[in-house]
């Protein structure tokens, strides 16, 4: 196996100079760097990531922590995050856990640290999670992506849901819906609670509430949408529209409606949130709330790299991505 010592002998320099030259250190002249690179190319030498990490104290690997793989939202974030990090010289490592709340938080933090990560994007953190506290205490940089916890402040990228959710709710009202049902997300997820608050407050301006019998709560997954819509549509007086916590939940609601023989939007309207690629399929044509997910994923990645490189003393940054209604074929006026 070719080593950096072999490159040093061929280039006529010391081994530490080889390491510095291949890191483009300004302490090494351009002429020496070129000679070292030429020697490395001639010998087919590839620097060791482990060796580089030991020399600079960084692995250039960052994690994406996800505890909700059933939510397709997160699978669509991986590619733009990977590309953004790659352009900055970092690798993305997907880290999955069943939970990061309660007693599990300490174990999750330990596993993240044992993976020799320089930092982590927290994508599914619950509002009451103590994981951010554990990471802060252990000195690991992190960024809240899409959701945030209340215990620790940190850099974050989130959707500004108010504009899009209000636009959606006002459109529901304008079409004449008064019996509004909702399949809501987890109460401890900042995204779910924020969307629910906007939905209820906007309906309240028209004197409309969502009674318990017209709401169903669960995870951001297909099964929640399916079970919730099934229950709502079998009521003696079912809702004329079902507002879903996200697109994946809406997919489940659409399947329940079809199974029960209800046409969409003829018998019941269904809406989502996120505008995932599948929502645009001709088979679905889901009315939903959209935002620039690719840009948000890329920005989350770059914020994390900035935090890793700048350290903990820089002010925290919170960036919001605007949302808007995308009206397709699953929302219409209530049946007369």
């Amino acid at each position: 196996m070719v080593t950096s010592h072999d490159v040093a002998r061929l280039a006529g320099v010391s081994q530490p100079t080889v390491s510095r030259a291949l890191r483009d250190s300004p302490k090494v002249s351009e002429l020496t760097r070129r000679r070292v690179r030429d020697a490395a190319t001639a010998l087919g030498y590839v620097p060791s990531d482990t060796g580089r990490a030991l020399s600079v104290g960084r692995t250039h690997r960052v994690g994406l922590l996800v505890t909700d793989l059933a939510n397709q939202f997160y699978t669509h974030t991986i590619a733009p995050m990977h590309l953004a990090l790659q352009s900055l010289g970092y690798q993305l490592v997907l880290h999955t856990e069943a939970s990061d709340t309660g007693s599990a938080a300490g174990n999750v933090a330990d596993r993240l640290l044992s993976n020799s990560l320089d930092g982590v994007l927290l994508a599914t953190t619950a509002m009451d999670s103590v994981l951010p506290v554990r990471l802060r205490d252990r000195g690991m940089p992190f960024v809240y992506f899409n959701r945030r916890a209340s215990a620790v402040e940190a850099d974050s990228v989130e959707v500004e849901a108010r504009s899009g959710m209000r636009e959606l709710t006002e459109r529901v009202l304008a079409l004449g819906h008064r019996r509004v049902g909702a399949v809501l997300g987890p109460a401890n997820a900042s995204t779910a609670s924020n969307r629910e608050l906007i939905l209820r407050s906007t309906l309240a301006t028209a004197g409309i509430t969502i009674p318990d019998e017209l709401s169903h709560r669960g995870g951001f997954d297909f099964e929640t949408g399916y079970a919730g819509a099934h229950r709502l549509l079998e009521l003696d007086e079912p809702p004329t529209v079902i507002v879903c916590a996200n697109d994946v939940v809406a997919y489940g609601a659409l399947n329940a409606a079809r199974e029960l023989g209800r046409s969409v939007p003829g018998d019941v309207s269904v809406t989502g949130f996120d505008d995932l690629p599948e929502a645009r399929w001709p088979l679905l044509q889901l009315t939903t709330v959209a935002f620039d997910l690719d840009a948000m994923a890329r920005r989350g990645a770059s914020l994390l790299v900035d935090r890793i490189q700048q350290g903990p003393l820089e002010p925290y940054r919170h960036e919001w991505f605007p949302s808007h209604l995308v009206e397709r074929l699953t929302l219409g006026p209530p049946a007369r």
Side-chain angles (χ1 to χ4, degrees), residues 303-324:
L303 274 183
L304 180 57
V305 171
D306 287 347
R307 180 57 57 189
I308 291 167
Q309 296 178 345
Q310 295 172 5
L313 300 181
E314 291 295 315
Y316 293 120
R317 287 178 285 181
H318 306 295
E319 302 199 7
W320 299 85
F321 286 75
S323 62
H324 62 276

Side-chain angles (χ1 to χ4, degrees), residues 142-154:
F142 64 89
V143 167
Y144 292 123
F145 178 77
N146 192 45
R147 302 187 198 175
R148 72 161 79 184
S150 56
V152 177
E153 186 181 6

Side-chain angles (χ1 to χ4, degrees), residues 42-250:
L43 294 172
Y45 173 68
V46 178
S48 163
D49 286 340
T50 302
R52 186 185 294 113
L54 290 172
S55 66
V56 301
R58 290 183 184 153
T59 62
H60 285 255
R61 300 166 70 240
V62 302
L64 170 62
L65 176 63
V66 177
T67 60
D68 186 11
L69 285 176
N71 187 349
Q72 297 166 28
F73 173 89
Y74 295 103
T75 64
H76 292 295
T77 67
I78 293 174
M81 278 184 183
H82 160 71
L83 292 173
L85 288 166
Q86 187 179 57
S87 71
L88 296 170
Y90 284 75
Q91 294 178 328
L92 178 66
V93 178
L94 178 62
H95 187 101
T96 62
E97 294 282 350
S99 172
D100 64 2
T101 59
S103 60
N107 294 331
V108 173
D110 290 340
R111 282 192 285 272
L112 288 169
L113 288 164
S114 70
N115 282 337
S116 300
L117 301 173
D118 290 340
V120 62
L121 289 147
L122 301 180
T124 50
T125 301
M127 290 190 292
D128 56 352
S129 174
V130 296
L131 175 62
V133 178
R134 301 289 181 263
L135 294 177
R136 180 201 61 192
D137 292 347
R138 288 163 170 78
M140 174 170 280
F142 64 89
V143 167
Y144 292 123
F145 178 77
N146 192 45
R147 302 187 198 175
R148 72 161 79 184
S150 56
V152 177
E153 186 181 6
D155 301 303
S156 64
V157 288
E158 299 174 77
V159 180
E160 188 284 293
R162 179 169 297 278
S163 53
M165 199 69 203
R166 179 182 289 169
E167 189 180 0
L168 168 65
T169 310
E170 289 175 346
R171 182 59 178 153
V172 165
L173 292 170
L175 287 168
H177 292 280
R178 294 299 179 267
R179 191 163 174 81
V180 179
V183 182
L184 306 167
N188 65 348
S190 60
T191 45
S193 63
N194 189 30
R195 293 168 199 175
E196 180 182 353
L197 177 63
I198 299 164
L199 171 65
R200 290 185 184 275
S201 62
T202 307
L203 289 174
T205 62
I208 296 173
T209 61
I210 302 176
D212 289 345
E213 68 169 3
L214 291 184
S215 68
H216 181 92
R217 189 181 299 280
F220 283 119
D221 51 46
F222 179 96
E223 289 74 20
T224 292
Y226 179 84
H230 231 287
R231 183 179 72 77
L232 297 180
L233 291 174
E234 291 188 309
L235 293 171
D236 292 337
E237 293 185 55
T240 59
V241 59
I242 300 176
V243 179
C244 296
N246 70 359
D247 287 355
V248 179
V249 172

Side-chain angles (χ1 to χ4, degrees), residues 255-326:
N255 274 262
R258 170 163 292 193
E259 185 176 277
L260 292 170
R262 311 296 172 83
S263 68
V264 177
D267 296 320
V268 62
S269 291
V270 175
T271 69
F273 193 107
D274 287 336
D275 196 29
L276 299 180
E278 295 84 358
R280 306 162 207 164
W281 289 358
L283 183 65
L284 295 177
Q285 286 293 296
L286 178 67
T287 292
T288 186
V289 174
F291 57 95
D292 194 337
L293 177 57
D294 279 15
M296 194 170 90
R298 292 194 302 269
R299 187 58 183 143
S302 64
L303 274 183
L304 180 57
V305 171
D306 287 347
R307 180 57 57 189
I308 291 167
Q309 296 178 345
Q310 295 172 5
L313 300 181
E314 291 295 315
Y316 293 120
R317 287 178 285 181
H318 306 295
E319 302 199 7
W320 299 85
F321 286 75
S323 62
H324 62 276
L325 171 66
V326 176

